[in-house]
Amino acid sequence: MGVAYSVGEVDHLYTFFVQWSPDMYTKSNKKKNQPHFLREKHQNRNIGKKNKVASKSNQLNNHAAKNWEIIKVKDPKRRLSLCSFDSETEEPEYHGIIGVAQPVLNDYSELLDHRHLLSLACHMPARTQGYPWHLAYSTAVHGSSLKTLYRNMAKFDSPVLLVIKDMQKKVFGAFSSDPFRVSKYCYGTGETFLFSFNPDFQAYKWTGENSYFVSGNFESLQIGGGGGEFGLWIDADLYHGSSFSCPTFHNAPLSTQKDFLIQDLEVWTVQN
């Protein structure tokens, strides 16, 4: 049921509402009571402001699109990224290496330091990772004799790491999939490789052209060959050596001189 109010009562009610809610009953009414052409002008002005803001926003977005691009960062913990570099032209980053276990040496080395081990780790076969390395032979401990080196190798049946420092203070050597021994024929597998820190690290992997990995007799030890040249050759006294490019590894000479004199030599073997 509706309630009827007189004109005077309505005026009183309106005055009451204006006093208690002036914002609602004055500003809005002013806009509503404005002439049509003023309201239209005001609306057009607001529309113009909105269009200007939208235009500026589009300009900024277009500018950003031209000058910015999304760069995807590869996961640094991905194992493949650790060794995905050209070993003959680039040197790996040593910080933040994750996924490849650094070789752990059970004995003190005169030739290998932390930097050498990190570089070699990427090229070691997976079967050697996580196991300690034992010093099987050292000229500083056992003297300079290839026969003694062979004798110390006889009790091992695991890969070996040969490290040499020459009189020019250059460090280089070879990783052999098999321990060194006297043999009429070449032995080893494609895991065998040559390396050099001269001064940056370089690894020379098997090319597949031949299988002249390792051969040894009591007069010398040879690693890599073909065409009458050896990738690495050492005499019976472990004093004279030479290094030439060979088809087995397509290596550069490992030292600054193709013929060199040995200052120190170490052979390490993995124990699992």
Side-chain angles (χ1 to χ4, degrees):
M1 181 176 179
V3 179
Y5 293 97
S6 65
V7 175
E9 290 175 334
V10 170
D11 291 338
H12 285 296
L13 286 173
Y14 179 78
T15 301
F16 172 80
F17 289 134
V18 169
Q19 291 177 351
W20 284 96
S21 303
D23 295 336
M24 183 180 297
Y25 290 93
T26 57
K27 293 182 179 180
S28 59
N29 284 338
K30 285 181 180 179
K31 290 181 181 180
K32 291 182 179 179
N33 293 333
Q34 286 179 345
H36 176 74
F37 72 91
L38 289 178
R39 293 201 304 268
E40 185 176 357
K41 182 178 180 181
H42 182 72
Q43 291 174 357
N44 292 336
R45 186 182 301 171
N46 290 339
I47 293 173
K49 289 182 179 180
K50 291 181 180 179
N51 291 337
K52 287 182 179 179
V53 172
S55 176
K56 285 290 184 180
S57 177
N58 291 334
Q59 291 177 4
L60 290 173
N61 290 336
N62 292 335
H63 179 75
K66 292 179 180 179
N67 293 277
W68 293 84
E69 61 179 350
I70 297 175
I71 300 175
K72 296 182 179 179
V73 180
K74 295 182 179 180
D75 183 1
K77 294 184 179 180
R78 191 172 299 170
R79 176 169 177 167
L80 292 178
S81 67
L82 301 180
C83 308
S84 58
F85 64 93
D86 186 349
S87 61
E88 297 188 10
T89 59
E90 299 180 12
E91 187 172 6
E93 295 183 1
Y94 302 118
H95 61 278
I97 291 186
I98 301 172
V100 177
Q102 174 182 328
V104 177
L105 306 183
N106 272 357
D107 303 283
Y108 174 74
S109 175
E110 297 281 351
L111 308 180
L112 295 173
D113 59 23
H114 182 67
R115 180 177 64 93
H116 296 141
L117 295 175
L118 284 175
S119 298
L120 290 167
C122 286
H123 300 277
M124 298 287 192
R127 63 191 178 102
T128 66
Q129 295 181 13
Y131 297 105
W133 287 77
H134 170 72
L135 183 62
Y137 181 85
S138 169
T139 52
V141 177
H142 304 97
S144 299
S145 171
L146 184 59
K147 290 183 179 180
T148 304
L149 189 155
Y150 287 142
R151 186 164 54 250
N152 288 10
M153 294 283 99
K155 58 183 178 181
F156 297 109
D157 186 19
S158 55
V160 295
L161 181 68
L162 169 67
V163 187
I164 297 171
K165 177 186 281 188
D166 66 8
M167 294 297 182
Q168 304 298 321
K169 310 300 180 183
K170 303 301 180 182
V171 178
F172 51 90
F175 174 89
S176 173
S177 60
D178 296 75
F180 301 129
R181 65 180 184 270
V182 176
S183 176
K184 293 182 179 179
Y185 308 100
C186 292
Y187 57 89
T189 70
E191 293 177 333
T192 303
F193 65 87
L194 299 176
F195 64 87
S196 173
F197 296 92
N198 192 20
D200 297 330
F201 176 72
Q202 293 182 338
Y204 302 97
K205 296 297 191 72
W206 179 43
T207 62
E209 292 190 17
N210 61 43
S211 299
Y212 302 153
F213 298 114
V214 184
S215 61
N217 52 50
F218 289 113
E219 285 74 38
S220 64
L221 174 68
Q222 307 97 36
I223 303 174
E229 305 289 356
F230 298 109
L232 181 59
W233 177 90
I234 304 171
D235 74 347
D237 295 325
L238 304 182
Y239 183 67
H240 292 89
S242 64
S243 177
F244 294 84
S245 179
C246 69
T248 312
F249 303 109
H250 280 183
N251 59 288
L254 301 182
S255 183
T256 52
Q257 298 178 350
K258 294 181 178 179
D259 295 306
F260 55 85
L261 299 178
I262 298 174
Q263 176 179 315
D264 292 298
L265 181 149
E266 294 178 350
V267 179
W268 296 81
T269 183
V270 65
Q271 293 180 320
N272 52 20

